[in-house]
Amino acid sequence: MTTIAFAKKVLASDSRLTEKNFVWTDKCKKIWRLSDGSLFGSSGDNEAGLLLLDALKKNRKPNIPQDREMKAIHVRPDGKIYLFEGYIWDRWPEDYAAIGSGMKYALAALRIGADAVTAVKAGIAMDVHSGGRVQVVRLRPKKKQCTT
């Protein structure tokens, strides 16, 4: 599966793609910056995550088969976090979050003040389905408008 964590304007993930106990690759992209500046990541069924990403990019309702196990995170440009578990986007109340099979290790790290990269490294260290290099995308600061 995956470890994805968000904290302090940074979304980080591992890069391992597994199926049961088989490692397909350690070069899987799991997080993206969308054109509106928001950040997206998905764990679980890779194809379902890509379908959800496509729906977000096109501002459409997702059409994901219900037999697919997938979770996702969407961080809006203002830093508000939304989680998806198959039906709707739900606003997350904390300023940090984690998803995936390494979530409990990442959340423990985040809860004691770790940054997102360190949290993902904790997931990689403890979860056999997380691995590879840590990938990072950052929220960009809003551009200031020039006034004359």
Side-chain angles (χ1 to χ4, degrees):
M1 289 236 331
T2 294
T3 302
I4 297 176
F6 175 79
K8 303 171 187 165
K9 300 183 179 183
V10 174
L11 184 64
S13 77
D14 74 309
S15 55
R16 176 165 287 172
L17 179 63
T18 63
E19 182 178 355
K20 297 184 182 175
N21 292 325
F22 179 76
V23 176
W24 282 99
T25 183
D26 277 337
K27 297 178 182 176
C28 181
K29 183 173 182 174
K30 301 178 182 184
I31 55 176
W32 291 264
R33 178 180 296 105
L34 281 63
S35 62
D36 67 356
S38 65
L39 308 178
F40 172 84
S42 68
S43 69
D45 187 291
N46 191 51
E47 186 176 76
L50 293 173
L51 288 170
L52 184 58
L53 174 62
D54 187 59
L56 268 177
K57 287 179 175 180
K58 295 176 179 173
N59 201 23
R60 293 184 185 162
K61 184 178 179 182
N63 186 17
I64 300 166
Q66 293 304 311
D67 64 340
R68 303 294 179 94
E69 185 179 329
M70 185 267 302
K71 295 187 181 353
I73 182 170
H74 185 212
V75 183
R76 307 271 171 89
D78 62 6
K80 290 182 180 167
I81 303 167
Y82 291 82
L83 299 178
F84 184 88
E85 294 183 345
Y87 296 101
I88 62 169
W89 286 103
D90 187 33
R91 172 79 165 91
W92 185 246
E94 304 290 344
D95 60 356
Y96 60 86
I99 61 172
S101 56
M103 171 184 70
K104 59 187 169 185
Y105 310 110
L107 278 176
L110 292 168
R111 188 130 194 186
I112 62 169
D115 60 38
V117 171
T118 302
V120 169
K121 287 179 179 179
I124 289 171
M126 300 302 295
D127 175 49
V128 297
H129 297 286
S130 297
R133 295 177 54 186
V134 176
Q135 303 169 0
V136 174
V137 289
R138 292 176 173 77
L139 284 178
R140 293 182 176 152
K142 291 182 180 179
K143 294 180 181 177
K144 294 183 181 180
Q145 297 289 333
C146 295
T147 56
T148 55

